[in-house]
C-alpha cells in the first residue's frame, strides 16, 4: 500500500501553541491524516517541537528562566494542547540525545557527499562581548520588504535574511551594544549550485502550490540564490562535528530535513515498525510520499533549503506537496505571546467542545489569506451552522429509528449515488493535492444544510438515515468526538454498497464543554 508521510514542522519551543498555530498546519495535517486513514490509505503523521533555535534563549531571558527549562516545559505544553483539540500525531519529536545524534549524522553525510563548502560570511558582531549575533540575537530592517524583524526567515516577505544582510542591525541581547559587521568562516550549502534542479522541481509543483509560496519561489529564482549557513559561530545549538569550524554549532533552521526524517521514524516506531535508520522511510525506493503542512513563512527553510539538501544527498524522495497557510489573527490583531494577545487551544477547549473548535478553525482557516478569530463569531457560527442543524438532523434520525421499530430500512440507488457524490466532494477538500480546511468546512455546512432541509417521509426514511451515516463518516476528520460516539467504525467507502440501513439514535451536539 502506498504510504504518505504527513509532516507538520514543530514550532520553536519557547511557549505553548495558540489558536493561530492550530488553525494553520496542525489541524490541517491532522485532518488530512485522519481522512487518508479513513479512506484506507497508509499514513504516518509526524510533528513535535523544534528545540534548538536561539529564540528559546531570548524568550527565556525575557521570562527569567533557564532556556533548557523553557524548552522542556514548552514541549510538554504543546503536546497537551494538541491533545486537548484532538490533534493526534503518530510521532512527536522530543529533544533528546537520539535527536542530537541524528542531526550530527545527517550533516556528516551531507558533508561527506560534498554538499557543504567553507565560505566567509558576514555577521553582526559585538566587540564588547566577542559574540556574533544571528537570528533572534539581532533585529533590523529586512532588505527585501523593509519590515522590522530578526534575522532568518522574514515574516513579512518569507525571504531568508542572513544576519549580516539586515539593514541597521542592533543587538536584542543588549540594544546599547555597538554592532559591527565581521566575517566568519562557516560551512554553507551553496543553494545556487542547485538552481537547475530546484527550478525543475518547483515547476513540477506549480499546479498545487498556494499563491504565496509560488510567489516566493518565483522571487527567489529571479536572483542568485544565497549561500545558506549550516554552521554558525554561536554557542547555543547542537555542536557541529567538523574540525574546520571547531566551536561552532549547527544552524537550527538547517535541521529541517533531519528533524522531518526523525519525526517519520518516530511515527513508524509508534506503530510497531522498526525502520532501519532515521532516514530509511525517506529512501526513494521506499515509495513513500511526503506532504508538508506549514505557515508560508517557513517555505524557504522546508521548500528551498530542505529540498536542496535532499538533492545534494541524492537517493531520497522529494516532497510531493507543500500545503502552506497564512496568518490567523485574534480580534483583527496578530497573535502575540509577548503582548499576552493569545487564546491557547487548551483555554478554549476547557469551555467549548473540541468538535466545535475544529469546525470553526476549519471554517475560518487561513488557507489562502489572513483570517480572523473572535469568540463572538465562533459562538454564532457554530450554533447556527453546526449545532442547531445537526441536532435537528439527529432528532429526525431518532424519529426514523422509532418508527421503523429498529428494523432495517431500504436504501435506493438514488441515495447510493448521492452518497458517492458527497464522499467525492469531501474527498476533494481533504486530499493532500488540493487540501483545504475551508473547503472541507464549507462542504460540511452545505451537506448538513441539505440533510436539515430534508422533509423525511416513511418512504425515504432509509435514504435519509443512509446519507446521514455517510455524512458523519465524511465529517469525522473534523467532528472527531461526534463520529467516535455515533459510528462503529470510521471508514469512508469509495462507493456506498448499502441496500438497507438500520436507523440509529445519534448523539446531539452541545455548545459548552461538559
Ligand atoms: Zn522581508
Amino acid at each position: 500500500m502506498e504510504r504518505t508521510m504527513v509532516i507538520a514542522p514543530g514550532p520553536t519551543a519557547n511557549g505553548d501553541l495558540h489558536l493561530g498555530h492550530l488553525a494553520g498546519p496542525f489541524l490541517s495535517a491532522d485532518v488530512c491524516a485522519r481522512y487518508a486513514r479513513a479512506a484506507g490509505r497508509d499514513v504516518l503523521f509526524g510533528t513535535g517541537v523544534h528545540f534548538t533555535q536561539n529564540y528559546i534563549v531570548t524568550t527565556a531571558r525575557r521570562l527569567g528562566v533557564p532556556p533548557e527549562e523553557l524548552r522542556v516545559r514548552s514541549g510538554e505544553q504543546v503536546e497537551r494542547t494538541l491533545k486537548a483539540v484532538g490533534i493526534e500525531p503518530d510521532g512527536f519529536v522530543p529533544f533528546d540525545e537520539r535527536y542530537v545524534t541524528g542531526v550530527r549524522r545527517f550533516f556528516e553525510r551531507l558533508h561527506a557527499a560534498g554538499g557543504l563548502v567553507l565560505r566567509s560570511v558576514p555577521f553582526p558582531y559585538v566587540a564588547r562581548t566577542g559574540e556574533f549575533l544571528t537570528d533572534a540575537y539581532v533585529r533590523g530592517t529586512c532588505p527585501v520588504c523593509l519590515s522590522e524583524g530578526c534575522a532568518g526567515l522574514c515574516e513579512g516577505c518569507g525571504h531568508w535574511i542572513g544576519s549580516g544582510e539586515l539593514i541597521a542591525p542592533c543587538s536584542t541581547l543588549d540594544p546599547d551594544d555597538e554592532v559591527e559587521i565581521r566575517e566568519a568562516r562557516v560551512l554553507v550549502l551553496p543553494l545556487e549550485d542547485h538552481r537547475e534542479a530546484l527550478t525543475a522541481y518547483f515547476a513540477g509543483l506549480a499546479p498545487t502550490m498556494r499563491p504565496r509560496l509560488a510567489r516566493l519561489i518565483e522571487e527567489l529564482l529571479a536572483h542568485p540564490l544565497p549561500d545558506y549557513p549550516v554552521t554558525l559561530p554561536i554557542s547555543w545549538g547542537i555542536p557541529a562535528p567538523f574540525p574546520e569550524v571547531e566551536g561552532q554549532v549547527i544552524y537550527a533552521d538547517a535541521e529541517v530535513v533531519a528533524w522531518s526524517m526523525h519525526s517519520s521514524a518516530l511515527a513508524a516506531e509508534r506503530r510497531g515498525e522498526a525502520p532501519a535508520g532515521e532516514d530509511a522511510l525517506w529512501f526513494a525506493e521506499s515509495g513513500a510520499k511526503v506532504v508538508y503542512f506549514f505557515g508560508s513563512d517557513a517555505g524557504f527553510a522546508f521548500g528551498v533549503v530542505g529540498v536542496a539538501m535532499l538533492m545534494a544527498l541524492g537517493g531520497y524522495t522529494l516532497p510531493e506537496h507543500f500545503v502552506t497557510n497564512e496568518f490567523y489573527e485574534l480580534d483583527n490583531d496578530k497573535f502575540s505571546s509577548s503582548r499576552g494577545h493569545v487564546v491557547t487551544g487548551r483555554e478554549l477547549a476547557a469551555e467549548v467542545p473540541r468538535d466545535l473548535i475544529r469546525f470553526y478553525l476549519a471554517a475560518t482557516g487561513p488557507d489562502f489569506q489572513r483570517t480572523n478569530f473572535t469568540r463572538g463569531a465562533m459562538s454564532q457560527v457554530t450554533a447556527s451552522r453546526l449545532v442547531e442543524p445537526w441536532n435537528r438532523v439527529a432528532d429526525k434520525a431518532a424519529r426514523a429509528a422509532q418508527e421503523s421499530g429498529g428494523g432495517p430500512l431500504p436504501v435506493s440507488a438514488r441515495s447510493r449515488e448521492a452518497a458517492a457524490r458527497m464522499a467525492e466532494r469531501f474527498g476533494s477538500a481533504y486530499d493532500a493535492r488540493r487540501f483545504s480546511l475551508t473547503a472541507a468546512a464549507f462542504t460540511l455546512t452545505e451537506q448538513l444544510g441539505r440533510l436539515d432541509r430534508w422533509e423525511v417521509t416513511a418512504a425515504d426514511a432509509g435514504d435519509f438515515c443512509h446519507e446521514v451515516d455517510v455524512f458523519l463518516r465524511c465529517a469525522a476528520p473534523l467532528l472527531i468526538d461526534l463520529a467516535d460516539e455515533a459510528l462503529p467504525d470510521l471508514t469512508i467507502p469509495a462507493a456506498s454498497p448499502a441496500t438497507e440501513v438500520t436507523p440509529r439514535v445519534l448523539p446531539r451536539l452541545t455548545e459548552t464543554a461538559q
Side-chain angles (χ1 to χ4, degrees):
M1 197 195 304
E2 186 182 275
R3 165 169 277 180
T4 303
M5 297 189 291
V6 167
I7 300 169
T12 301
N14 64 346
D16 200 352
L17 292 177
H18 55 64
L19 288 185
H21 296 116
L22 294 175
F26 295 98
L27 181 61
S28 299
D30 182 68
V31 167
C32 182
R34 282 176 187 270
Y35 169 72
R37 219 163 269 149
R41 292 184 214 137
D42 179 20
V43 189
L44 290 177
F45 170 21
T47 188
V49 177
H50 198 178
F51 292 89
T52 47
Q53 294 105 320
N54 58 6
Y55 281 92
I56 297 162
V57 177
T58 50
T59 307
R61 195 178 271 221
R62 197 177 70 233
L63 298 174
V65 296
E68 292 79 4
E69 190 184 305
L70 175 66
R71 68 177 168 189
V72 171
R73 188 174 78 197
S74 302
E76 291 164 357
Q77 285 174 336
V78 167
E79 247 186 309
R80 284 206 300 274
T81 294
L82 292 179
K83 203 167 170 194
V85 291
I87 293 169
E88 290 173 6
D90 299 299
F92 189 91
V93 175
F95 186 73
D96 55 14
E97 266 315 298
R98 177 174 160 188
Y99 176 70
V100 171
T101 306
V103 168
R104 289 165 62 107
R105 288 219 179 106
F106 176 86
F107 286 104
E108 279 164 356
R109 282 204 310 279
L110 185 58
H111 201 6
L116 304 178
V117 294
L118 197 60
R119 296 243 163 105
S120 284
V121 172
F123 290 97
Y125 178 80
V126 174
R128 183 185 68 82
T129 58
E131 284 181 309
F132 286 100
L133 306 176
T134 69
D135 290 60
Y137 294 160
V138 58
R139 282 186 73 82
T141 302
C142 169
V144 176
C145 72
L146 306 180
S147 64
E148 290 295 309
C150 291
L153 296 171
C154 175
E155 283 188 0
C157 61
H159 285 247
W160 174 79
I161 308 303
S163 304
E165 310 299 324
L166 276 179
I167 301 168
C170 94
S171 168
T172 59
L173 300 173
D174 190 343
D176 294 331
D177 272 335
E178 189 124 343
V179 174
E180 60 185 271
I181 296 294
R182 190 178 275 208
E183 298 219 323
R185 302 275 285 171
V186 298
L187 283 169
V188 304
L189 175 74
L191 290 172
E192 185 60 24
D193 291 0
H194 302 281
R195 165 176 293 275
E196 211 175 308
L198 285 170
T199 304
Y201 169 76
F202 282 108
L205 244 55
T208 60
M209 268 193 293
R210 288 182 172 175
R212 187 148 168 236
L213 180 61
R215 190 174 80 177
L216 172 69
I217 299 300
E218 215 170 83
E219 287 174 3
L220 290 167
L221 291 173
H223 302 280
L225 294 167
D227 283 340
Y228 190 76
V230 160
T231 66
L232 292 177
I234 60 172
S235 59
W236 174 262
I238 296 174
F242 309 114
E244 65 269 47
V245 290
E246 216 196 317
Q248 295 188 7
V249 300
I250 301 285
Y251 181 20
D253 282 8
E255 292 166 17
V256 285
V257 177
W259 190 96
S260 303
M261 288 175 168
H262 187 51
S263 82
S264 305
L266 291 175
E269 286 169 18
R270 264 261 304 266
R271 294 258 214 91
E273 295 174 32
E278 296 289 277
D279 57 350
L281 299 169
W282 281 61
F283 290 140
E285 64 258 33
S286 83
K289 288 180 175 172
V290 173
V291 178
Y292 272 110
F293 288 83
F294 52 72
S296 278
D297 54 342
F300 186 88
F302 286 90
V304 180
V305 175
V307 170
M309 279 182 190
L310 290 166
M311 287 167 169
L313 283 161
Y316 290 113
T317 190
L318 301 180
E320 181 98 357
H321 298 295
F322 294 110
V323 184
T324 52
N325 65 271
E326 304 307 316
F327 279 108
Y328 196 53
E329 295 191 335
L330 173 62
D331 299 328
N332 293 306
D333 192 4
K334 233 182 100 173
F335 278 88
S336 165
S337 305
S338 56
R339 286 185 290 125
H341 188 66
V342 284
V343 176
T344 71
R346 273 184 293 152
E347 282 166 1
L348 197 58
E351 298 168 27
V352 181
R354 58 188 188 174
D355 280 0
L356 274 60
I357 299 174
R358 293 169 67 96
F359 167 76
Y360 187 69
L361 293 185
T364 56
D367 284 350
F368 296 97
Q369 59 193 20
R370 257 168 216 256
T371 51
N372 186 49
F373 176 89
T374 68
R375 205 42 212 280
M378 177 176 176
S379 301
Q380 198 190 345
V381 169
T382 52
S384 66
R385 295 200 189 155
L386 178 64
V387 177
E388 291 162 12
W390 170 257
N391 288 343
R392 287 192 291 267
V393 166
D395 288 346
K396 282 191 280 188
R399 266 198 304 280
Q402 198 183 26
E403 282 162 19
S404 74
L409 294 168
V411 174
S412 70
R414 186 215 57 79
S415 186
R416 283 192 293 279
E417 183 59 28
R421 290 289 81 75
M422 189 159 40
E424 203 174 84
R425 293 317 297 161
F426 273 101
S428 77
Y430 288 141
D431 192 69
R433 188 178 147 75
R434 293 275 176 216
F435 181 87
S436 165
L437 274 183
T438 48
F442 173 77
T443 305
L444 191 158
T445 311
E446 290 295 296
Q447 293 302 325
L448 182 56
R450 186 174 70 83
L451 297 170
D452 186 25
R453 290 188 299 274
W454 191 326
E455 290 177 18
V456 184
T457 64
D460 67 6
D463 286 357
F464 176 77
C465 293
H466 167 241
E467 286 172 52
V468 169
D469 178 82
V470 174
F471 166 80
L472 255 182
R473 290 173 189 279
C474 292
L478 286 166
L479 308 179
I480 53 175
D481 292 327
L482 183 69
D484 261 346
E485 203 181 329
L487 298 170
D489 67 83
L490 297 175
T491 53
I492 303 176
S496 170
T499 54
E500 55 177 39
V501 64
T502 303
R504 260 199 295 267
V505 175
L506 297 167
R508 293 170 63 88
L509 287 171
T510 58
E511 287 177 52
T512 46
Q514 305 290 306

